[in-house]
């Protein structure tokens, strides 16, 4: 690499020579279990709310409606209080994600993760032991606080611990653990549905297992060097960096961490920064990508897959089994995404996945419309029901390698340093708000739109696919420091983006992220992108 002057003091290769160490790998796996808990929560509630003893105990009117199966089958699970049970987690998660940011900053990522784990534990105990709806919902709020803290702290933790060239893979581990959590929950529901009377208690109470894993795991985790520096513990930070990079040669990186921390402290109001005209493209992405992700309809499938399968005539067992199949498909598709995302690019996966989802949604809607009509009564003939499961699986696979992981990946790579934290907060907040709204209204929508609900989501997937085609630039293999280029060269966004300053051949580029810190070093001149 080009050396010289300034650069030789902080040579990138020396900087990042530390590779993946067992210590980092284990730390990141433990931290990523935050995703496991999020996924467990997503997966467990749908199954539990289709269990007769659970409905009978807490939502007797829903139970009676479902049991007599009079009236419209699309409407038999329609109950605001039932959806409130599912949705309360998201509201609590939203509030706590916002407050967790200051805890994470002042006390470290580890403290936030332990707090999240403990909150999960309390929530799972309350849910497992619930004797009335209030206990159920309070328990769910505690779980939501846990999710908020975990989702706020874990991705930051992973980012800070990971060696730069493994950062993408280790972060994707978070989404993978979400998928594992969903699948585990579905498997547990499949088993506990067979236990008469109290199976639901086991399903809800077993959330304690990932909660304990996370709490104990987090207690054993080291804090990130970035966080240690942020809290003034420079010696500890240096020792930690040496340990996680597997090399004593960490001086330059340490300097950069100190510098990044100092610089980031100069910005009080990143939320105001992101509103500046020059960040319009990124701001729009921060709003629309998570919003669109939820409008794929994925969570209505995840939350209510068993209810949905039951509505179309599956027996209780078959409903849970179908959800298990969906979970496996989801997991496999995330793994496929890990291998393909840097090869074929984000746009290809977005567009391919979008088209696949639209086709599947139209097929699902057509089968339901033709075979069940608007009453939803009667169940599907076997052949059609099987075809339906295949279409739903292909839909889930399309999501699993496109909007699932990409909705976390793309926003995380497009924000320049000065607006990165604000951008990520907006991304998470929009994700949770949209999840909340749609889980709250889904059962009513199913009741009113009937099979047309899938056309509603298909319409949105068409819109978002066109949005990607026209407005989302390819970010594959673009260094984060070079990302301004993709906006400056984009046919639409270039009117907002500041002109990209091309780097000349003799410029040494070292683009690495350390705690959101960019190093973009010209010969002899440190370039700080911070304004
Ligand atoms: C989404 C969640 C969703 C999950 C499904 C995540 O990327 O943000 O809302 O439930 O994927 O696996």
């Amino acid at each position: 690499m080009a050396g010289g002057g300034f650069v030789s003091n902080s040579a990138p290769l020396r900087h990042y020579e530390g590779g993946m160490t067992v210590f980092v790998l284990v730390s990141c796996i433990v931290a990523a279990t935050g995703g496991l808990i999020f996924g467990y929560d997503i997966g467990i509630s749908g199954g539990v709310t289709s269990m007769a003893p659970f409905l009978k105990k807490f939502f007797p009117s829903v139970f009676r409606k479902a049991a007599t199966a009079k009236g419209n089958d699309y409407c038999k699970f329609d109950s605001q209080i039932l959806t409130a049970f599912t949705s309360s987690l998201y509201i609590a998660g939203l509030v706590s994600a916002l407050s967790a940011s200051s805890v994470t900053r002042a006390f470290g990522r580890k403290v936030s993760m332990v707090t999240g784990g403990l909150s999960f534990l309390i929530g799972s105990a309350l849910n497992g032991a619930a004797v009335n709806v209030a206990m159920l919902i309070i328990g769910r709020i505690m779980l939501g606080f846990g999710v908020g803290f975990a989702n706020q702290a874990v991705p930051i933790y992973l980012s800070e611990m990971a060696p730069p060239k493994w950062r993408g893979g280790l972060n994707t581990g978070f989404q993978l653990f979400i998928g594992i959590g969903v699948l585990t929950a579905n498997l547990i529901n499949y088993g506990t549905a067979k236990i008469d009377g109290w199976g639901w208690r086991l399903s809800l109470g077993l959330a304690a297992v990932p909660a304990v894993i996370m709490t104990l795991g987090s207690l054993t985790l080291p804090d990130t060097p970035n966080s240690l520096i942020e809290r003034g513990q420079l010696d500890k930070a240096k020792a930690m960096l040496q340990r996680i990079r597997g090399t004593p040669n960490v001086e330059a990186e340490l300097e950069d961490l100190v510098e990044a921390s100092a610089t980031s402290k100069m910005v009080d109001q990143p939320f105001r920064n992101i509103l500046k005209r020059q960040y319009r493209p990124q701001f729009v992405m921060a709003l629309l990508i998570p919003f669109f992700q939820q409008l794929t309809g994925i969570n209505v499938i995840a939350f209510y897959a068993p209810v949905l399968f039951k509505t179309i005539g599956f027996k209780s067992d078959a409903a849970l089994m179908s959800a298990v199949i969906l979970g496996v498909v989801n997991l496999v598709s995330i793994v496929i995404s890990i291998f393909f995302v840097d090869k074929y690019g984000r746009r290809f996966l977005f567009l391919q996945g979008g088209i696949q989802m639209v086709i599947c949604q139209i097929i699902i809607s057509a089968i339901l419309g033709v075979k069940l009509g608007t009453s939803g009564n009667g169940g599907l003939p076997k052949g059609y029901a099987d075809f339906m499961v295949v279409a739903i699986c292909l839909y889930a696979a399309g999501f699993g390698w496109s909007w699932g992981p990409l909705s976390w990946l793309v926003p995380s790579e497009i924000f320049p340093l000065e607006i990165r934290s604000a951008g990520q907060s907006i991304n998470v907040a929009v994700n949770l708000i949209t999840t909340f709204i749609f889980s709250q209204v889904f059962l009513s929508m199913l009741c009113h739109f009937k099979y047309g609900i899938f056309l509603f989501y298909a319409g949105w997937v068409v819109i978002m696919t066109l949005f990607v085609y026209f407005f989302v630039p390819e970010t594959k293999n673009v260094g984060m420091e070079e990302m301004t280029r993709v906006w400056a060269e984009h046919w639409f966004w270039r009117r907002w983006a500041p002109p990209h300053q091309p780097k000349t051949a003799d410029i040494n580029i070292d683009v690495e992220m350390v705690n959101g810190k960019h190093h973009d070093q010209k010969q002899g001149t440190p370039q700080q992108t911070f304004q």
Side-chain angles (χ1 to χ4, degrees):
M1 46 147 280
F6 177 85
V7 173
S8 63
N9 286 333
S10 52
L13 288 179
R14 191 161 64 87
H15 250 186
Y16 304 115
E17 77 184 17
M20 173 80 83
T21 57
V22 174
F23 185 64
V24 158
L25 188 64
V26 171
S27 301
C28 287
I29 290 172
V30 171
T33 57
L36 189 69
I37 292 163
F38 184 36
Y40 188 88
D41 281 323
I42 291 167
I44 210 73
S45 45
V48 167
T49 51
S50 75
M51 290 179 190
F54 177 82
L55 288 175
K56 209 163 156 183
K57 186 166 176 62
F58 297 107
F59 308 96
S61 63
V62 182
F63 175 73
R64 276 195 300 276
K65 224 166 142 190
T68 55
K70 279 202 199 104
N72 195 305
D73 268 15
Y74 286 112
C75 303
K76 66 186 184 183
F77 292 102
D78 183 13
S79 156
Q80 288 307 313
I81 186 85
L82 182 59
T83 40
F85 164 73
T86 304
S87 306
S88 50
L89 183 144
Y90 286 87
I91 289 295
L94 175 71
V95 172
S96 65
L98 294 175
S99 42
S101 70
S102 40
V103 175
T104 304
R105 208 154 147 201
F107 303 106
R109 293 75 179 115
K110 185 175 163 171
V111 170
S112 281
M113 285 155 73
V114 173
T115 309
L118 285 174
S119 186
F120 276 128
L121 252 184
I122 297 169
S124 52
L126 280 171
N127 270 351
V131 292
N132 52 38
V133 177
M135 252 177 108
L136 264 189
I137 294 186
I138 292 169
R140 201 115 175 104
I141 290 172
M142 294 305 291
L143 290 179
F145 274 110
V147 167
F149 270 88
N151 285 10
Q152 201 278 334
V154 172
I156 296 175
Y157 185 90
L158 293 174
S159 234
E160 292 179 346
M161 290 298 275
K165 64 179 174 177
W166 296 98
R167 184 178 288 119
L170 289 172
N171 274 343
T172 307
F174 183 62
Q175 174 74 12
L176 196 63
F177 271 100
I178 294 175
I180 293 170
V182 173
L183 177 58
T184 309
N186 286 328
L187 283 170
I188 286 172
N189 275 344
Y190 184 67
T192 58
K194 296 180 195 305
I195 302 170
D196 202 26
W198 57 277
W200 62 269
R201 284 196 192 278
L202 209 52
S203 284
L204 296 180
L206 278 175
V209 175
V212 167
I213 293 174
M214 181 182 178
T215 311
L216 293 182
S218 304
L219 283 170
T220 66
L221 284 177
D223 229 328
T224 66
N226 317 56
S227 176
L228 290 168
I229 289 172
E230 212 167 20
R231 289 175 286 137
Q233 302 175 29
L234 197 59
D235 290 344
K236 272 193 188 171
K238 184 177 177 183
M240 184 53 62
L241 202 55
Q242 289 170 329
R243 186 152 183 219
I244 63 177
R245 296 287 175 256
T247 168
N249 187 15
V250 295
E251 278 307 325
E253 187 172 355
L254 190 67
E255 275 168 27
D256 289 334
L257 292 181
V258 172
E259 195 187 316
S261 163
T263 321
S264 90
K265 277 182 182 158
M266 283 157 53
V267 169
D268 308 335
Q269 306 201 302
F271 282 99
R272 208 193 277 169
N273 252 30
I274 202 172
L275 294 175
K276 284 185 184 164
R277 183 184 157 80
Q278 74 203 79
Y279 302 124
R280 206 53 47 84
Q282 293 93 332
F283 184 55
V284 169
M285 297 295 156
L287 294 175
L288 285 186
I289 289 180
F291 176 73
F292 281 149
Q293 187 203 43
Q294 294 306 312
L295 277 160
T296 58
I298 189 64
N299 274 318
V300 302
I301 302 248
F303 285 146
Y304 298 113
V307 176
L308 214 53
F309 281 109
K310 226 170 167 181
T311 303
I312 61 170
F314 280 64
K315 299 241 163 10
S316 187
D317 237 22
L320 289 175
M321 201 57 221
S322 306
V324 170
I325 294 167
L326 270 183
V328 174
V329 170
N330 175 50
L331 217 55
V332 172
S333 59
I334 295 169
V335 173
I336 289 173
S337 188
I338 291 173
F339 288 108
F340 285 177
V341 69
D342 290 314
K343 198 166 172 203
Y344 298 114
R346 286 78 165 130
R347 278 172 58 83
F348 173 79
L349 288 178
F350 264 134
L351 298 175
Q352 192 284 333
I355 292 167
Q356 182 167 321
M357 282 191 279
V358 170
I359 294 171
C360 292
Q361 283 165 322
I362 292 173
I363 290 174
I364 293 166
S365 184
I367 295 177
L368 287 178
V370 171
K371 285 290 152 191
L372 298 189
T374 50
S375 77
N377 295 132
L380 281 177
K382 172 101 175 71
Y384 285 93
D386 290 347
F387 194 50
M388 179 92 158
V389 173
V390 171
I392 292 180
C393 284
L394 285 176
Y395 159 84
F399 175 86
W401 60 58
S402 64
W403 283 89
L406 295 176
S407 304
W408 299 106
L409 170 66
V410 173
S412 82
E413 63 188 7
I414 59 170
F415 301 125
L417 171 66
E418 60 272 26
I419 55 162
R420 189 162 298 138
S421 71
Q424 286 286 28
S425 300
I426 293 170
N427 184 36
V428 173
V430 174
N431 188 294
L432 291 180
I433 289 171
T434 322
T435 306
F436 165 72
I437 292 170
F438 280 91
S439 62
Q440 189 68 42
V441 300
F442 171 69
L443 289 179
S444 291
M445 279 172 61
L446 179 65
C447 178
H448 292 106
F449 285 17
K450 307 188 168 54
Y451 59 87
I453 192 158
F454 294 99
L455 291 182
F456 169 81
Y457 286 117
W460 277 103
V461 180
V462 169
I463 293 171
M464 67 187 81
T465 305
L466 288 173
F467 172 79
V468 169
Y469 184 78
F470 288 110
F471 299 111
V472 178
E474 180 57 66
T475 49
K476 170 185 94 162
N477 290 340
V478 181
M480 288 175 78
E481 192 69 20
E482 296 242 88
M483 205 55 82
T484 51
R485 195 190 72 204
V486 304
W487 309 107
E489 289 172 359
H490 191 271
W491 71 273
F492 181 77
W493 297 116
R494 66 175 168 223
R495 65 200 77 182
W496 282 280
H500 178 66
Q501 308 284 338
K503 295 175 171 67
T504 53
D506 65 336
I507 291 173
N508 172 55
I509 305 161
D510 165 25
V511 183
E512 289 295 352
M513 291 295 310
V514 180
N515 188 22
K517 165 74 167 71
H518 288 191
H519 309 265
D520 183 349
Q521 297 162 352
K522 269 188 176 177
Q523 276 196 325
T525 319
Q527 263 206 340
Q528 181 56 265
T529 55
F530 219 86
Q531 290 160 359

